[in-house]
Amino acid sequence: MRGENRLEREAVYVLGIPTGDMLDPEKVRRAGIRGLKDAKQRGAEFVFDTADGEKVLPREVVALEKCITCKSNTHRIHDELLADIKDKGESPVRFKQVEELEAMAPADRFAFWQKELSRCIRCNACRNICPVCSCVKCVFDNPANPVSGKANSETFEEKMFHIIRAFHVAGRCTDCGECSRACPQGIPLHLLNRKFIKDINRAYGPFAAGTDDSGMTPLTEFTETDPEPSEVVASGGGQ
């Protein structure tokens, strides 16, 4: 945000607060947990104290998807770190779903997104929760804009909203997964952003948004080694 003139870094005191995995309430419900009294993480498992006794489940079964696919558990920017933690590194399954989409035939991939985005109710939860979707005035809130309405008059409009938003945060998305978590319709919006992250890493080298406060990103600075647009398109898989 500093590089985008959203705030003065010197005016913010950043605390690094370590945490474990976060539970996904829907996954917990599907796992049959009833009468929950307490839940604690124990390594790669969660121990649930329920009315029916203790139940132990793997983290992959009950943790939020964004925790399972976390890119790093260290705090790169902080003024004070409340506890030291060992860096687990990037999850080996972070781009698994993106690669599965890339392997689809174009028609099947289009059908997947058409089905997912058709559930959008334009509540703007994804936009409002996003830490880098920070325009003072959003183009979709402009009353002079024909797509400012909440209801989608046609299928193109619902796709345009999410595709434009994904392009808007490309190179700045921290892959926090909050867009998908906040979506009341359960649309996997983070996969659009994660596809861009994967392509940026391939075209410009490894980059993790939010790991420094200089404001420079692969899409906001130019170097002589940058690939030409035709090279990016030719070698990239479609989403």
Side-chain angles (χ1 to χ4, degrees), residues 167-208:
F167 271 109
H168 189 187
V169 302
R172 302 185 299 141
C173 174
T174 63
D175 200 13
C176 69
E178 283 295 282
C179 50
S180 294
R181 187 194 65 81
C183 177
Q185 297 296 89
I187 304 172
L189 297 167
H190 68 283
L191 293 179
L192 282 172
N193 302 323
R194 195 170 290 170
K195 164 61 176 174
F196 286 168
I197 291 171
K198 183 174 180 289
D199 286 349
I200 288 171
N201 287 345
R202 174 185 50 77
Y204 301 99
F207 172 75

Side-chain angles (χ1 to χ4, degrees), residues 34-48:
R34 299 290 186 272
L36 181 62
K37 298 178 181 179
D38 192 21
K40 295 180 180 178
Q41 186 168 12
R42 186 177 61 194
E45 298 176 327
F46 271 93
V47 181
F48 296 91

Side-chain angles (χ1 to χ4, degrees), residues 3 36 81 90 96-97 103 134 145 160 212 220:
L36 181 62
L81 190 60
E90 182 178 294
K96 182 175 183 293
Q97 290 177 291
S134 59
N145 190 324
M160 182 170 66
D212 69 70
T220 56

Side-chain angles (χ1 to χ4, degrees), residues 77-150:
I77 303 173
H78 59 270
D79 296 302
E80 181 179 350
L81 190 60
L82 298 190
D84 291 327
I85 54 176
K86 184 179 180 180
D87 187 7
K88 295 186 295 186
E90 182 178 294
S91 166
V93 298
R94 183 184 178 196
F95 295 105
K96 182 175 183 293
Q97 290 177 291
V98 172
E99 291 167 353
E100 290 172 351
L101 286 170
E102 290 175 339
M104 289 182 178
D108 294 335
R109 190 163 54 242
F110 181 83
F112 169 84
W113 283 113
Q114 187 173 41
K115 178 182 177 181
E116 293 294 335
L117 297 181
S118 67
R119 302 202 307 272
C120 177
I121 57 175
R122 284 295 299 279
C123 66
N124 289 330
C126 57
R127 181 196 69 181
N128 295 343
I129 199 68
C130 180
V132 296
C133 202
S134 59
C135 290
V136 176
K137 181 73 171 180
C138 178
V139 65
F140 287 98
D141 285 339
N142 183 351
N145 190 324
V147 296
S148 63
K150 294 291 185 181

Side-chain angles (χ1 to χ4, degrees), residues 19-25 27 41 43 46 59-73 88-94 97 174-178 180-181 190 194:
T19 182
D21 294 323
M22 297 174 63
L23 288 170
D24 184 327
K27 283 185 176 181
Q41 186 168 12
F46 271 93
R59 64 185 289 269
E60 290 80 7
V61 175
V62 291
L64 284 172
E65 194 274 345
K66 70 174 187 175
C67 293
I68 296 171
T69 59
C70 184
K71 67 178 183 294
S72 174
N73 65 326
K88 295 186 295 186
E90 182 178 294
S91 166
V93 298
R94 183 184 178 196
Q97 290 177 291
T174 63
D175 200 13
C176 69
E178 283 295 282
S180 294
R181 187 194 65 81
H190 68 283
R194 195 170 290 170

